[in-house]
Coordinates of all heavy atoms in Angstrom, one line a residue:
M433 N 5.9 6.0 12.3 CA 5.5 4.6 12.3 C 6.7 3.7 12.8 O 7.8 4.0 12.5 CB 5.1 4.1 10.9 CG 3.7 3.9 10.7 SD 3.2 3.6 9.0 CE 1.8 4.6 9.0
E434 N 6.4 2.7 13.5 CA 7.4 1.8 14.0 C 7.9 0.8 12.9 O 7.1 0.3 12.1 CB 6.8 0.9 15.1 CG 6.2 1.7 16.2 CD 7.1 1.8 17.5 OE1 7.9 0.9 17.6 OE2 6.9 2.7 18.3
D435 N 9.2 0.6 12.9 CA 9.8 -0.3 11.8 C 9.2 -1.7 11.9 O 9.1 -2.3 10.8 CB 11.3 -0.3 12.0 CG 12.0 0.9 11.5 OD1 11.4 1.7 10.8 OD2 13.2 1.0 11.7
S436 N 8.8 -2.1 13.0 CA 8.4 -3.5 13.2 C 6.9 -3.7 12.9 O 6.4 -4.8 12.9 CB 8.7 -4.0 14.6 OG 8.0 -3.2 15.6
Q437 N 6.1 -2.6 12.7 CA 4.7 -2.8 12.4 C 4.5 -3.5 11.1 O 5.2 -3.3 10.1 CB 4.0 -1.4 12.3 CG 3.8 -0.7 13.6 CD 3.0 0.6 13.4 OE1 3.4 1.4 12.7 NE2 1.9 0.7 14.1
V438 N 3.5 -4.4 11.1 CA 3.3 -5.3 9.9 C 2.0 -4.9 9.3 O 1.0 -4.6 10.0 CB 3.3 -6.8 10.3 CG1 3.0 -7.7 9.2 CG2 4.6 -7.1 11.0
F439 N 2.0 -4.8 8.0 CA 0.8 -4.4 7.2 C 0.6 -5.4 6.0 O 1.5 -6.1 5.6 CB 1.1 -3.0 6.6 CG 1.4 -2.0 7.6 CD1 2.7 -1.7 7.9 CD2 0.3 -1.3 8.2 CE1 3.0 -0.7 8.8 CE2 0.6 -0.3 9.1 CZ 2.0 0.0 9.5
S440 N -0.6 -5.5 5.6 CA -1.0 -6.3 4.4 C -2.1 -5.6 3.7 O -2.8 -4.7 4.3 CB -1.3 -7.7 4.7 OG -2.6 -7.7 5.4
R441 N -2.3 -5.9 2.4 CA -3.4 -5.3 1.7 C -4.7 -6.0 2.2 O -4.8 -7.2 2.6 CB -3.2 -5.4 0.2 CG -3.1 -6.7 -0.4 CD -2.7 -6.6 -1.8 NE -2.7 -7.8 -2.5 CZ -2.1 -8.0 -3.7 NH1 -1.5 -7.0 -4.3 NH2 -2.1 -9.2 -4.3
N442 N -5.8 -5.3 2.1 CA -7.1 -5.8 2.4 C -7.6 -6.6 1.2 O -7.7 -6.1 0.1 CB -8.1 -4.6 2.6 CG -9.5 -5.1 3.0 OD1 -9.9 -6.2 2.8 ND2 -10.2 -4.2 3.7
P443 N -7.8 -7.9 1.4 CA -8.2 -8.8 0.3 C -9.6 -8.4 -0.3 O -9.9 -9.0 -1.4 CB -8.2 -10.2 0.9 CG -8.4 -9.9 2.4 CD -7.8 -8.6 2.7
E444 N -10.3 -7.5 0.3 CA -11.6 -7.1 -0.2 C -11.5 -6.0 -1.2 O -12.5 -5.5 -1.7 CB -12.6 -6.8 0.9 CG -13.0 -8.0 1.7 CD -14.1 -7.7 2.7 OE1 -14.4 -6.5 3.0 OE2 -14.7 -8.7 3.1
F445 N -10.3 -5.6 -1.6 CA -10.1 -4.7 -2.7 C -9.4 -5.4 -3.8 O -8.4 -6.1 -3.6 CB -9.2 -3.5 -2.2 CG -10.0 -2.5 -1.4 CD1 -10.2 -2.7 0.0 CD2 -10.6 -1.4 -2.0 CE1 -10.9 -1.8 0.7 CE2 -11.3 -0.5 -1.2 CZ -11.5 -0.7 0.2
I446 N -9.9 -5.2 -5.0 CA -9.4 -5.9 -6.2 C -8.8 -4.9 -7.1 O -9.3 -3.9 -7.4 CB -10.6 -6.6 -6.9 CG1 -11.2 -7.6 -5.9 CG2 -10.1 -7.3 -8.2 CD1 -12.6 -8.1 -6.3
L447 N -7.6 -5.3 -7.6 CA -6.8 -4.4 -8.5 C -7.3 -4.6 -9.9 O -7.4 -5.8 -10.4 CB -5.3 -4.7 -8.4 CG -4.5 -3.8 -9.3 CD1 -4.5 -2.4 -9.0 CD2 -3.0 -4.3 -9.3
R448 N -7.7 -3.6 -10.6 CA -8.1 -3.6 -12.0 C -7.3 -2.6 -12.8 O -7.0 -1.5 -12.2 CB -9.6 -3.3 -12.1 CG -10.5 -4.4 -11.5 CD -10.5 -5.6 -12.4 NE -11.4 -6.6 -11.8 CZ -11.1 -7.8 -11.4 NH1 -9.8 -8.1 -11.4 NH2 -12.0 -8.6 -10.9
Q449 N -7.0 -2.9 -14.0 CA -6.4 -1.9 -14.9 C -7.5 -1.4 -15.8 O -8.1 -2.1 -16.5 CB -5.3 -2.6 -15.8 CG -4.1 -3.1 -15.0 CD -3.3 -2.0 -14.3 OE1 -3.1 -0.9 -14.8 NE2 -2.9 -2.3 -13.1
I450 N -7.8 -0.1 -15.6 CA -8.9 0.5 -16.4 C -8.3 1.8 -17.1 O -7.8 2.7 -16.5 CB -10.0 1.0 -15.4 CG1 -10.6 -0.3 -14.7 CG2 -11.1 1.7 -16.2 CD1 -11.6 0.0 -13.6
A451 N -8.4 1.7 -18.4 CA -7.9 2.8 -19.3 C -6.5 3.2 -18.9 O -6.2 4.4 -18.8 CB -8.9 4.0 -19.1
G452 N -5.7 2.2 -18.7 CA -4.3 2.5 -18.4 C -4.0 2.9 -17.0 O -2.8 3.2 -16.7
E453 N -5.0 2.9 -16.1 CA -4.7 3.3 -14.7 C -5.0 2.1 -13.8 O -5.8 1.2 -14.1 CB -5.7 4.4 -14.3 CG -5.4 5.7 -15.0 CD -6.2 6.8 -14.3 OE1 -6.2 6.9 -13.1 OE2 -6.7 7.7 -15.1
S454 N -4.2 2.1 -12.7 CA -4.4 1.0 -11.7 C -5.4 1.5 -10.7 O -5.2 2.5 -10.0 CB -3.0 0.8 -11.0 OG -2.1 0.4 -11.9
I455 N -6.5 0.7 -10.6 CA -7.7 1.1 -9.8 C -8.0 0.0 -8.8 O -8.0 -1.2 -9.2 CB -8.9 1.3 -10.7 CG1 -8.6 2.4 -11.8 CG2 -10.1 1.8 -9.8 CD1 -8.4 3.8 -11.3
L456 N -8.2 0.3 -7.5 CA -8.7 -0.6 -6.5 C -10.2 -0.5 -6.4 O -10.7 0.6 -6.2 CB -8.0 -0.3 -5.2 CG -6.5 -0.5 -5.1 CD1 -6.0 -0.1 -3.7 CD2 -6.1 -2.0 -5.4
V457 N -10.8 -1.6 -6.6 CA -12.3 -1.7 -6.6 C -12.7 -2.5 -5.3 O -12.2 -3.6 -5.1 CB -12.8 -2.4 -7.8 CG1 -14.3 -2.5 -7.8 CG2 -12.3 -1.8 -9.1
P458 N -13.5 -1.9 -4.4 CA -14.0 -2.6 -3.2 C -15.0 -3.7 -3.6 O -15.8 -3.6 -4.5 CB -14.6 -1.5 -2.4 CG -15.1 -0.5 -3.4 CD -14.1 -0.5 -4.5
A459 N -14.9 -4.8 -2.9 CA -15.8 -5.9 -3.0 C -16.2 -6.3 -1.6 O -15.7 -5.9 -0.6 CB -15.1 -7.0 -3.7
G460 N -17.2 -7.2 -1.6 CA -17.7 -7.7 -0.3 C -18.1 -6.6 0.7 O -18.7 -5.6 0.3
S461 N -17.7 -6.8 1.9 CA -18.1 -5.8 2.9 C -17.4 -4.4 2.7 O -17.9 -3.4 3.2 CB -17.9 -6.3 4.3 OG -16.5 -6.5 4.6
A462 N -16.3 -4.4 2.1 CA -15.6 -3.2 1.8 C -16.4 -2.3 0.9 O -16.4 -1.1 1.1 CB -14.2 -3.5 1.1
A463 N -17.2 -2.9 0.0 CA -18.1 -2.1 -0.9 C -19.2 -1.4 -0.1 O -19.7 -0.3 -0.5 CB -18.7 -2.9 -1.9
E464 N -19.5 -1.9 1.1 CA -20.5 -1.3 1.9 C -20.0 0.0 2.6 O -20.7 0.9 3.0 CB -21.1 -2.3 3.0 CG -21.8 -3.4 2.4 CD -22.1 -4.5 3.4 OE1 -22.0 -4.2 4.6 OE2 -22.4 -5.6 3.0
H465 N -18.7 0.0 2.9 CA -18.1 1.1 3.7 C -17.3 2.0 2.8 O -16.9 3.1 3.3 CB -17.2 0.5 4.8 CG -17.9 -0.5 5.6 ND1 -18.8 -0.2 6.5 CD2 -17.8 -1.9 5.7 CE1 -19.3 -1.2 7.1 NE2 -18.7 -2.3 6.6
F466 N -16.9 1.7 1.6 CA -16.1 2.5 0.8 C -16.8 2.7 -0.5 O -16.9 1.8 -1.3 CB -14.7 1.8 0.5 CG -13.7 2.6 -0.2 CD1 -12.8 3.3 0.5 CD2 -13.7 2.6 -1.6 CE1 -11.8 4.1 -0.2 CE2 -12.8 3.3 -2.3 CZ -11.8 4.1 -1.6
S467 N -17.2 3.9 -0.7 CA -17.9 4.2 -2.0 C -16.9 4.8 -3.0 O -16.1 5.7 -2.6 CB -19.1 5.1 -1.8 OG -18.7 6.4 -1.3
G468 N -16.9 4.3 -4.2 CA -16.0 4.8 -5.2 C -14.8 3.9 -5.4 O -14.9 2.7 -5.1
L469 N -13.8 4.4 -6.0 CA -12.6 3.6 -6.4 C -11.4 4.3 -5.9 O -11.4 5.5 -5.5 CB -12.5 3.6 -7.9 CG -13.8 3.1 -8.7 CD1 -13.6 3.2 -10.2 CD2 -14.0 1.6 -8.4
A470 N -10.3 3.6 -5.8 CA -9.0 4.2 -5.4 C -8.0 4.0 -6.5 O -7.8 2.9 -7.0 CB -8.5 3.5 -4.1
S471 N -7.4 5.1 -6.9 CA -6.4 5.1 -8.0 C -5.0 5.0 -7.4 O -4.7 5.7 -6.4 CB -6.6 6.3 -8.8 OG -5.6 6.4 -9.9
L472 N -4.2 4.2 -8.0 CA -2.8 4.0 -7.5 C -1.8 4.6 -8.6 O -2.0 4.3 -9.8 CB -2.5 2.6 -7.3 CG -3.2 1.8 -6.2 CD1 -2.9 0.4 -6.2 CD2 -3.0 2.5 -4.8
N473 N -0.9 5.4 -8.1 CA 0.2 5.8 -9.0 C 1.2 4.6 -9.0 O 1.0 3.6 -8.4 CB 0.8 7.1 -8.6 CG 1.5 7.1 -7.2 OD1 1.7 6.0 -6.7 ND2 1.7 8.3 -6.7
A474 N 2.4 4.8 -9.7 CA 3.3 3.8 -9.9 C 3.9 3.3 -8.6 O 4.0 2.1 -8.3 CB 4.5 4.2 -10.8
S475 N 4.2 4.2 -7.7 CA 4.8 3.8 -6.4 C 3.7 3.2 -5.5 O 4.0 2.2 -4.8 CB 5.5 4.9 -5.6 OG 4.6 6.0 -5.4
G476 N 2.5 3.6 -5.6 CA 1.4 3.0 -4.9 C 1.1 1.6 -5.3 O 0.9 0.7 -4.5
L477 N 1.2 1.4 -6.6 CA 1.0 0.1 -7.2 C 2.2 -0.9 -6.7 O 1.9 -2.0 -6.4 CB 1.0 0.1 -8.7 CG 0.9 -1.2 -9.5 CD1 -0.4 -2.0 -9.1 CD2 1.0 -1.0 -11.0
Y478 N 3.4 -0.3 -6.7 CA 4.5 -1.1 -6.2 C 4.3 -1.6 -4.8 O 4.5 -2.7 -4.4 CB 5.8 -0.3 -6.4 CG 7.1 -1.1 -5.9 CD1 7.5 -2.2 -6.7 CD2 7.8 -0.7 -4.8 CE1 8.6 -3.0 -6.3 CE2 8.9 -1.5 -4.4 CZ 9.3 -2.6 -5.2 OH 10.4 -3.3 -4.8
L479 N 3.9 -0.6 -3.9 CA 3.6 -1.0 -2.5 C 2.4 -2.0 -2.4 O 2.5 -2.9 -1.6 CB 3.3 0.3 -1.7 CG 4.4 1.2 -1.4 CD1 4.0 2.5 -1.0 CD2 5.3 0.5 -0.4
W480 N 1.4 -1.8 -3.2 CA 0.3 -2.8 -3.3 C 0.8 -4.2 -3.6 O 0.4 -5.1 -2.9 CB -0.8 -2.3 -4.3 CG -2.0 -3.2 -4.3 CD1 -2.3 -4.1 -5.3 CD2 -3.0 -3.2 -3.4 NE1 -3.5 -4.7 -5.0 CE2 -4.0 -4.2 -3.8 CE3 -3.3 -2.6 -2.2 CZ2 -5.1 -4.5 -3.1 CZ3 -4.5 -2.9 -1.5 CH2 -5.4 -3.9 -1.9
E481 N 1.7 -4.3 -4.6 CA 2.2 -5.6 -4.9 C 3.0 -6.2 -3.8 O 2.9 -7.4 -3.5 CB 3.0 -5.5 -6.2 CG 2.2 -5.2 -7.4 CD 3.0 -4.8 -8.7 OE1 4.2 -4.6 -8.6 OE2 2.3 -4.7 -9.7
L482 N 3.8 -5.4 -3.1 CA 4.6 -5.8 -2.0 C 3.7 -6.3 -0.8 O 4.0 -7.3 -0.2 CB 5.5 -4.7 -1.4 CG 6.7 -4.3 -2.3 CD1 7.4 -3.1 -1.7 CD2 7.7 -5.5 -2.4
L483 N 2.6 -5.7 -0.7 CA 1.7 -6.0 0.4 C 0.8 -7.2 0.2 O -0.1 -7.5 1.0 CB 0.8 -4.8 0.8 CG 1.5 -3.6 1.4 CD1 0.7 -2.3 1.3 CD2 1.9 -3.9 2.8
A484 N 1.0 -7.9 -0.9 CA 0.3 -9.2 -1.1 C 0.6 -10.2 0.0 O -0.2 -11.0 0.3 CB 0.7 -9.8 -2.5
Q485 N 1.8 -10.0 0.6 CA 2.2 -10.8 1.8 C 2.4 -9.8 2.9 O 2.9 -8.6 2.6 CB 3.5 -11.5 1.5 CG 3.5 -12.5 0.4 CD 2.5 -13.6 0.7 OE1 2.4 -14.1 1.8 NE2 1.7 -14.0 -0.3
P486 N 2.1 -10.1 4.1 CA 2.4 -9.2 5.2 C 3.9 -8.7 5.2 O 4.8 -9.5 5.0 CB 2.1 -10.0 6.5 CG 1.1 -11.0 6.0 CD 1.6 -11.4 4.6
C487 N 4.0 -7.4 5.4 CA 5.4 -6.8 5.4 C 5.5 -5.8 6.5 O 4.5 -5.1 6.9 CB 5.5 -5.9 4.1 SG 5.6 -6.8 2.6
T488 N 6.7 -5.7 7.0 CA 7.0 -4.7 8.1 C 7.1 -3.3 7.4 O 7.5 -3.3 6.2 CB 8.3 -5.0 8.9 OG1 9.4 -5.0 8.0 CG2 8.2 -6.3 9.6
F489 N 6.9 -2.3 8.1 CA 7.2 -1.0 7.7 C 8.6 -0.8 7.2 O 8.9 -0.3 6.1 CB 6.9 0.1 8.8 CG 7.1 1.5 8.4 CD1 6.3 2.1 7.4 CD2 8.1 2.2 9.0 CE1 6.6 3.4 7.0 CE2 8.3 3.5 8.6 CZ 7.6 4.1 7.7
R490 N 9.5 -1.4 7.9 CA 11.0 -1.3 7.6 C 11.2 -1.9 6.2 O 12.0 -1.4 5.4 CB 11.8 -2.0 8.7 CG 13.3 -2.0 8.4 CD 13.9 -0.7 8.6 NE 15.3 -0.8 8.4 CZ 16.0 0.2 7.7 NH1 15.4 1.3 7.4 NH2 17.3 0.1 7.5
H491 N 10.6 -3.1 6.0 CA 10.8 -3.8 4.7 C 10.3 -2.9 3.5 O 10.9 -2.8 2.5 CB 10.1 -5.2 4.7 CG 10.2 -5.9 3.4 ND1 11.4 -6.5 3.0 CD2 9.3 -6.1 2.5 CE1 11.1 -7.1 1.8 NE2 9.9 -6.9 1.5
L492 N 9.1 -2.3 3.7 CA 8.5 -1.5 2.7 C 9.4 -0.3 2.4 O 9.7 0.0 1.2 CB 7.1 -1.0 3.1 CG 6.1 -2.1 3.2 CD1 4.8 -1.5 3.9 CD2 5.8 -2.8 1.9
V493 N 10.0 0.3 3.4 CA 10.9 1.4 3.3 C 12.1 1.0 2.5 O 12.5 1.7 1.5 CB 11.2 2.1 4.6 CG1 12.4 3.0 4.5 CG2 10.0 2.7 5.3
Q494 N 12.7 -0.1 2.8 CA 13.9 -0.6 2.2 C 13.6 -0.9 0.7 O 14.4 -0.6 -0.2 CB 14.5 -1.8 2.9 CG 15.1 -1.5 4.2 CD 15.5 -2.7 5.0 OE1 14.8 -3.8 4.8 NE2 16.5 -2.6 5.8
E495 N 12.5 -1.5 0.4 CA 12.2 -1.9 -0.9 C 11.9 -0.7 -1.8 O 12.3 -0.6 -3.0 CB 11.0 -2.9 -1.0 CG 11.3 -4.2 -0.5 CD 12.4 -4.9 -1.3 OE1 12.3 -4.9 -2.5 OE2 13.3 -5.4 -0.6
V496 N 11.2 0.3 -1.3 CA 11.0 1.5 -2.0 C 12.3 2.3 -2.3 O 12.5 2.8 -3.4 CB 9.9 2.4 -1.3 CG1 9.9 3.8 -2.0 CG2 8.6 1.8 -1.4
S497 N 13.2 2.3 -1.3 CA 14.5 3.0 -1.5 C 15.3 2.3 -2.6 O 15.9 3.0 -3.4 CB 15.3 2.9 -0.2 OG 14.8 3.7 0.8
R498 N 15.2 1.0 -2.6 CA 16.0 0.2 -3.6 C 15.3 0.4 -5.0 O 16.0 0.7 -6.0 CB 16.0 -1.3 -3.2 CG 16.8 -2.1 -4.2 CD 16.7 -3.6 -3.9 NE 15.3 -4.1 -3.9 CZ 14.6 -4.3 -5.0 NH1 15.1 -4.0 -6.2 NH2 13.3 -4.7 -4.9
Q499 N 14.0 0.3 -5.1 CA 13.3 0.3 -6.3 C 13.5 1.7 -7.0 O 13.7 1.8 -8.2 CB 11.9 0.0 -6.2 CG 11.0 0.1 -7.4 CD 11.2 -1.0 -8.4 OE1 11.8 -2.0 -8.1 NE2 10.8 -0.8 -9.6
Y500 N 13.4 2.8 -6.2 CA 13.4 4.1 -6.8 C 14.7 4.9 -6.6 O 14.8 6.0 -6.9 CB 12.2 4.9 -6.2 CG 10.9 4.3 -6.7 CD1 10.1 3.5 -5.9 CD2 10.4 4.5 -8.0 CE1 8.9 2.9 -6.4 CE2 9.3 4.0 -8.5 CZ 8.5 3.2 -7.6 OH 7.4 2.6 -8.1
A501 N 15.7 4.2 -6.0 CA 17.0 4.8 -5.8 C 16.9 6.1 -5.0 O 17.5 7.1 -5.5 CB 17.8 4.9 -7.1
V502 N 16.2 6.1 -3.9 CA 16.1 7.3 -3.1 C 16.6 7.0 -1.7 O 16.6 5.8 -1.3 CB 14.6 7.8 -3.0 CG1 14.1 8.2 -4.4 CG2 13.7 6.8 -2.4
A503 N 16.9 8.0 -1.0 CA 17.4 7.8 0.4 C 16.3 7.3 1.3 O 15.1 7.5 1.0 CB 17.9 9.2 1.0
E504 N 16.6 6.5 2.3 CA 15.6 5.9 3.2 C 14.7 6.9 3.9 O 13.6 6.7 4.1 CB 16.3 5.0 4.2 CG 16.6 3.6 3.5 CD 16.8 2.5 4.5 OE1 16.4 2.6 5.7 OE2 17.4 1.5 4.1
D505 N 15.3 8.1 4.2 CA 14.4 9.1 4.9 C 13.3 9.6 3.9 O 12.2 9.8 4.3 CB 15.2 10.3 5.4 CG 16.0 11.1 4.4 OD1 16.4 10.4 3.4 OD2 16.2 12.3 4.6
V506 N 13.6 9.6 2.6 CA 12.6 10.0 1.6 C 11.6 8.9 1.5 O 10.4 9.1 1.5 CB 13.3 10.3 0.2 CG1 12.2 10.5 -0.8 CG2 14.2 11.5 0.4
S507 N 12.0 7.7 1.3 CA 11.1 6.5 1.2 C 10.3 6.3 2.5 O 9.1 6.0 2.4 CB 11.8 5.3 0.8 OG 12.7 4.8 1.7
R508 N 10.9 6.6 3.6 CA 10.2 6.5 4.9 C 9.0 7.4 4.9 O 7.8 7.0 5.3 CB 11.1 6.7 6.1 CG 10.4 6.7 7.4 CD 11.5 6.9 8.5 NE 12.4 5.7 8.6 CZ 12.0 4.6 9.2 NH1 10.9 4.5 9.9 NH2 12.9 3.6 9.3
A509 N 9.2 8.6 4.5 CA 8.1 9.6 4.5 C 7.0 9.2 3.5 O 5.8 9.3 3.7 CB 8.6 11.0 4.2
D510 N 7.5 8.8 2.3 CA 6.5 8.4 1.2 C 5.7 7.1 1.6 O 4.5 7.1 1.4 CB 7.2 8.1 -0.1 CG 7.8 9.4 -0.7 OD1 7.4 10.5 -0.3 OD2 8.6 9.2 -1.6
V511 N 6.3 6.1 2.2 CA 5.6 4.9 2.6 C 4.7 5.3 3.8 O 3.5 4.8 3.8 CB 6.6 3.8 3.0 CG1 5.9 2.6 3.7 CG2 7.4 3.3 1.8
A512 N 5.1 6.1 4.7 CA 4.2 6.5 5.8 C 3.0 7.2 5.3 O 1.9 6.9 5.8 CB 5.0 7.3 6.8
E513 N 3.2 8.1 4.3 CA 2.0 8.8 3.8 C 1.1 7.9 3.1 O -0.2 7.9 3.3 CB 2.5 9.9 2.8 CG 1.4 10.7 2.2 CD 2.0 11.7 1.2 OE1 3.2 11.9 1.1 OE2 1.1 12.4 0.6
F514 N 1.6 6.9 2.3 CA 0.8 5.9 1.6 C 0.0 5.1 2.6 O -1.2 4.9 2.5 CB 1.6 5.0 0.7 CG 0.8 3.9 0.1 CD1 0.1 4.0 -1.0 CD2 0.8 2.6 0.8 CE1 -0.6 3.0 -1.6 CE2 0.1 1.6 0.2 CZ -0.6 1.7 -0.9
L515 N 0.7 4.6 3.6 CA 0.0 3.7 4.6 C -1.0 4.5 5.4 O -2.1 4.0 5.7 CB 1.1 3.1 5.6 CG 1.9 2.0 4.9 CD1 3.0 1.6 5.9 CD2 1.1 0.8 4.5
D516 N -0.7 5.7 5.8 CA -1.7 6.5 6.6 C -3.0 6.7 5.8 O -4.1 6.5 6.3 CB -1.2 7.9 6.9 CG -0.1 7.9 8.0 OD1 -0.1 6.9 8.8 OD2 0.6 8.9 8.2
L517 N -2.9 7.0 4.5 CA -4.0 7.2 3.7 C -4.7 5.8 3.4 O -6.0 5.7 3.6 CB -3.6 7.8 2.3 CG -4.8 8.1 1.3 CD1 -5.8 9.0 1.9 CD2 -4.2 8.6 0.0
A518 N -4.0 4.8 3.1 CA -4.6 3.5 2.8 C -5.2 2.9 4.1 O -6.3 2.3 4.0 CB -3.5 2.6 2.3
L519 N -4.6 3.1 5.2 CA -5.2 2.6 6.5 C -6.5 3.3 6.8 O -7.5 2.7 7.2 CB -4.3 2.7 7.7 CG -3.1 1.8 7.7 CD1 -2.0 2.3 8.7 CD2 -3.5 0.4 8.1
G520 N -6.5 4.6 6.5 CA -7.7 5.4 6.8 C -8.9 5.0 5.9 O -10.1 5.1 6.3
K521 N -8.6 4.5 4.7 CA -9.6 4.1 3.7 C -9.9 2.6 3.9 O -10.9 2.1 3.2 CB -9.2 4.4 2.3 CG -8.9 5.9 2.0 CD -10.2 6.7 2.0 CE -9.9 8.1 1.6 NZ -11.0 8.9 1.7
G522 N -9.2 1.9 4.7 CA -9.4 0.5 4.8 C -8.8 -0.4 3.7 O -9.1 -1.6 3.6
V523 N -8.0 0.2 2.9 CA -7.4 -0.5 1.8 C -6.3 -1.4 2.2 O -6.0 -2.5 1.7 CB -6.9 0.5 0.7 CG1 -6.1 -0.2 -0.4 CG2 -8.1 1.3 0.1
V524 N -5.6 -1.0 3.3 CA -4.5 -1.7 3.9 C -4.8 -2.0 5.3 O -5.5 -1.2 6.0 CB -3.1 -0.9 3.8 CG1 -2.0 -1.5 4.7 CG2 -2.7 -0.8 2.4
L525 N -4.4 -3.1 5.8 CA -4.7 -3.6 7.2 C -3.4 -3.7 8.0 O -2.4 -4.1 7.5 CB -5.4 -4.9 7.2 CG -6.7 -5.0 6.3 CD1 -7.1 -6.5 6.2 CD2 -7.8 -4.1 6.9
R526 N -3.5 -3.4 9.3 CA -2.4 -3.7 10.3 C -2.6 -5.2 10.6 O -3.7 -5.7 10.9 CB -2.5 -2.9 11.5 CG -2.2 -1.5 11.3 CD -2.3 -0.7 12.7 NE -2.5 0.7 12.5 CZ -1.5 1.6 12.4 NH1 -0.2 1.1 12.5 NH2 -1.7 2.8 12.2
C527 N -1.5 -5.9 10.7 CA -1.6 -7.4 11.0 C -1.3 -7.5 12.5 O -0.6 -6.7 13.1 CB -0.6 -8.1 10.2 SG -0.9 -8.1 8.4

């Protein structure tokens, strides 16, 4: 992924806390294309919160490195994996 690519969360997914888990619930037209729910782990929830505003890939990598005290190559791989999955499901959008 390019450092300058910009991403944001899809506003048609609503975060809910259900039985102690962070769950994304599709609403609006997202509900027509996405059946089910999406569960977020702690790092996924952190990225979701960052994506409330459009962010570059580079910014996300740096923030995950800082938050979890990991090397940037580790956070780069983790953020790329999250974004690939989230983009494929329509949960995150390219700006």
Side-chain angles (χ1 to χ4, degrees):
M433 252 176 223
E434 305 253 342
D435 282 349
S436 61
Q437 284 184 306
V438 178
F439 303 93
S440 67
R441 61 189 185 193
N442 184 339
E444 292 191 339
F445 283 84
I446 301 163
L447 178 65
R448 295 284 184 245
Q449 296 297 320
I450 302 172
E453 291 194 41
S454 300
I455 306 292
L456 294 177
V457 179
S461 65
E464 297 172 15
H465 306 290
F466 186 94
S467 62
L469 306 171
S471 179
L472 297 175
N473 62 17
S475 58
L477 178 59
Y478 182 67
L479 285 165
W480 181 257
E481 290 169 352
L482 289 173
L483 290 164
Q485 300 296 319
C487 294
T488 64
F489 178 67
R490 177 77 179 139
H491 178 74
L492 294 170
V493 168
Q494 290 173 329
E495 289 299 313
V496 168
S497 289
R498 184 188 56 74
Q499 177 72 16
Y500 294 100
V502 296
E504 280 199 16
D505 60 329
V506 172
S507 65
R508 177 175 291 277
D510 291 346
V511 171
E513 182 179 355
F514 173 85
L515 289 174
D516 285 340
L517 181 61
L519 286 165
K521 301 290 185 185
V523 172
V524 169
L525 305 172
R526 291 183 201 269
C527 298

